[in-house]
Amino acid sequence: MRLGVPILIALLVLADLAWNLSHFNSGLVDVFGLLGFARSFVECQAWPATPYFPAGYPLLLIAGAQLGNALAGGYVLSTGGLALALWALYRLVRELGGDRWLGLAAIGLGWLMPTYRVIAGSPSVDPLYTGLALWFIAASVALWRFAAADQPGFKINQLPPWAGWGLTLPVLALPLIRYHAVLLILPVLAILTSARPQLRRFILWPWLALIGVTAFNYASYYAAYHELLPSAAGIQIRCGLEFRYSLFYASHDDLFRDYPAFCDHARSSSIVADYGWPRLLEHTLKDWYYFLRRPPVVLALALTLALGFRRRLPAGAALLALWIPAYCLVLSPSYYTARAAALPALAALGLALVLAGLVLSGRRAWLGVLIASVLLLAGGWRASNYAQAIYAERVRYARYSREIDRVVTEQDWHWTAVATNDMRIIPLSNNPWALPYPYIGTTWFDDPAIRQPLIGLRAINEQDLSAPTLDLQLQGLIIVDSQPDAQALKSLIETGPWEPCYTAGELTVLRYVRATNPDGA
């Protein structure tokens, strides 16, 4: 790989990192749970694995906190994952037969792709997962092509080093940051093992790595908490169904307000009994459609069919084209997110560009790539509304955090006396663990199955607002209202007198003034 490729990748991902650090906010509420579990491990030695996330990513966040800010460390981890994703995309294009210039074009188009833009601004697990997973997919395609060549005396050391390591290191790392990585790795290894007998002895090490790391996830959790690791898959599937059909909760806010009870019910009852097979099937197919309608996926699958009938597919292309919809289908029973679509969309982008160059043969191949690039850019522009809204939201939350930081400093308040109805507004100073302000409401880390103490994460439960001691609890409390329609904050405001301290656009800061009785007490 020539110097121009790593330079281009470095420029693109560092531009994203600079933007993220200058618009500092969490991007996702999930981050606070992961940061809380990391801090619990440091201060209480509580193993940071939960039913939602393995221990790997919280352990990586610890280094950021030790260096000054755990959230900034999360952005650096995301930058590394995104660099790996773009590099793996380049390797995938080259492995499918594309030249260096086509690989560079794939890097540029991948960086502009809306689903990539969504994960590029978030210090979450998704960028690292996407980078490692795409490396594994590119290495699997490389191994398939070597086997397809039927070279006599084929040895695994004939593979490029990047592909050899890509069949083992991602297999070790991916299940440590996402449980569902097993659903990515297992079918690919099974196909490589069954379809190419000459590969069986080479696939042994990835198989052992997958078995070993999966056993570690379960054994480490049992050693820490003396119980089997509970699954959150049913909860996530039930969330997707409830978001779509609202059979038990009128809104998302209602569901999360009752989240502990929702989780207990999800683990003790049948999804089929509550929602029925027709709804479950309809929900899965609708989400599958959302994955498959991404422009790179549509173009890649259409070109695969066209060239497949003409028997002009390069080795490995059919395998990749089969994996893309199959992987999307596996994720579909839960609920569609643009973050989850980034991996199959990037893989489809690489496949589409290579196949576009084969539609028109000879010197006209560049015309096919140009047409495909224009179609992908046009499709990406039409599909970019969500990504644009996400970035506008992050700009707004970064501004809110700066403004509240200034108000708290000027008024000489301590930020633990501030509550918000949105955890994405965070204190920016003296906050190495990037803790949010005390918040009003519940979220996924209120699941009763989570055993770790979340040090520093403080919630004001809406159900306790009528407690006799509430007036004393709220004395001197500052609340930040960035979501005027949030029911939890409305209920809190109704509990007593408030005086406005600061207003800017949608942002309102109120200070609680202790009520007095008629005798002046």
Side-chain angles (χ1 to χ4, degrees), residues 86-110:
L86 293 178
W87 171 79
L89 176 60
Y90 175 85
R91 293 303 339 167
L92 179 64
V93 169
R94 296 300 308 274
E95 199 57 44
L96 289 171
D99 61 18
R100 178 171 174 268
W101 293 106
L102 191 60
L104 290 171
I107 291 173
L109 289 171

Side-chain angles (χ1 to χ4, degrees), residues 91-175:
R91 293 303 339 167
L92 179 64
V93 169
R94 296 300 308 274
E95 199 57 44
L96 289 171
D99 61 18
R100 178 171 174 268
W101 293 106
L102 191 60
L104 290 171
I107 291 173
L109 289 171
W111 186 79
L112 291 171
M113 193 171 64
T115 49
Y116 178 96
R117 301 308 319 150
V118 168
I119 65 171
S122 175
S124 68
V125 177
D126 301 289
L128 191 58
Y129 175 85
T130 300
L132 288 167
L134 195 57
W135 182 15
F136 171 72
I137 292 300
S140 299
V141 170
L143 183 60
W144 183 273
R145 286 173 60 83
F146 264 83
D150 290 328
Q151 298 176 359
F154 168 68
K155 296 180 179 180
I156 195 65
N157 58 15
Q158 293 177 261
L159 276 175
W162 70 267
W165 287 110
L167 288 167
T168 305
L169 289 183
V171 176
L172 285 170
L174 283 167

Side-chain angles (χ1 to χ4, degrees), residues 159-473:
L159 276 175
W162 70 267
W165 287 110
L167 288 167
T168 305
L169 289 183
V171 176
L172 285 170
L174 283 167
L176 291 176
I177 60 175
R178 279 287 197 187
Y179 291 121
H180 73 249
V182 175
L183 301 177
L184 160 70
I185 298 168
L186 187 63
V188 174
L189 292 183
I191 290 174
L192 290 173
T193 303
S194 60
R196 302 292 183 186
Q198 66 269 43
L199 296 181
R200 288 175 183 170
R201 65 182 184 276
F202 305 135
I203 300 298
L204 176 63
W205 290 111
W207 274 116
L208 292 177
L210 179 62
I211 294 170
V213 73
T214 303
F216 172 80
N217 277 338
Y218 283 89
S220 60
Y221 188 90
Y222 187 83
Y225 301 108
H226 307 292
E227 65 182 28
L228 295 177
L229 175 64
S231 173
I235 293 173
Q236 292 170 322
I237 293 172
R238 188 178 288 269
C239 276
L241 288 163
E242 192 60 35
F243 292 163
R244 174 161 282 139
Y245 297 110
S246 300
L247 294 188
F248 299 94
Y249 297 92
S251 68
H252 296 190
D253 285 342
D254 290 339
L255 188 155
F256 283 108
R257 193 176 298 118
D258 196 34
Y259 196 69
F262 173 79
C263 292
D264 286 338
H265 177 73
R267 291 195 172 95
S268 62
S269 64
S270 166
I271 293 176
V272 175
D274 285 344
Y275 294 92
W277 281 113
R279 283 196 184 94
L280 182 58
L281 180 60
E282 180 188 39
H283 167 72
T284 300
L285 292 178
K286 282 184 176 179
D287 279 356
W288 195 32
Y289 164 72
Y290 291 152
F291 280 105
L292 297 183
R293 71 177 183 178
R294 308 307 307 183
V297 176
V298 172
L299 184 58
L301 296 182
L303 290 174
T304 299
L305 289 174
L307 291 174
F309 283 117
R310 296 164 60 182
R311 299 183 181 275
R312 295 185 57 191
L313 287 176
L319 177 68
L320 185 58
L322 176 65
W323 171 81
I324 290 169
Y327 178 72
C328 294
L329 181 60
V330 168
L331 298 182
S332 296
S334 181
Y335 48 87
Y336 170 82
T337 65
R339 295 177 288 129
L343 171 60
L346 282 170
L349 171 66
L351 178 61
L353 288 177
V354 171
L355 297 185
L358 298 176
V359 173
L360 300 176
S361 58
R363 295 182 179 180
R364 296 181 299 170
W366 67 269
L367 182 58
V369 174
L370 179 61
I371 294 173
S373 300
V374 171
L375 290 174
L376 290 170
L377 287 172
W381 178 259
R382 288 182 58 85
S384 66
N385 290 339
Y386 177 74
Q388 292 174 21
I390 288 292
Y391 274 83
E393 182 180 72
R394 289 170 184 162
V395 169
R396 186 169 69 254
Y397 280 116
R399 186 178 74 251
Y400 287 170
S401 295
R402 289 194 301 269
E403 291 176 352
I404 298 306
D405 226 33
R406 179 179 59 81
V407 171
V408 169
T409 302
E410 289 177 354
Q411 299 292 334
D412 197 25
W413 297 327
H414 194 276
W415 65 262
T416 55
V418 177
T420 73
N421 63 341
D422 196 316
M423 296 180 71
R424 288 171 288 184
I425 303 174
I426 62 173
L428 298 177
S429 55
N430 301 318
N431 192 14
W433 283 104
L435 295 174
Y437 292 107
Y439 64 99
I440 302 162
T442 58
T443 185
W444 64 267
F445 36 83
D446 292 309
D447 184 345
I450 291 178
R451 304 304 181 193
Q452 297 83 347
L454 290 179
I455 304 170
L457 288 180
R458 185 162 67 89
I460 299 173
N461 193 332
E462 183 190 353
Q463 297 175 354
D464 297 333
L465 293 182
S466 60
T469 58
L470 180 66
D471 191 62
L472 291 175
Q473 293 172 359

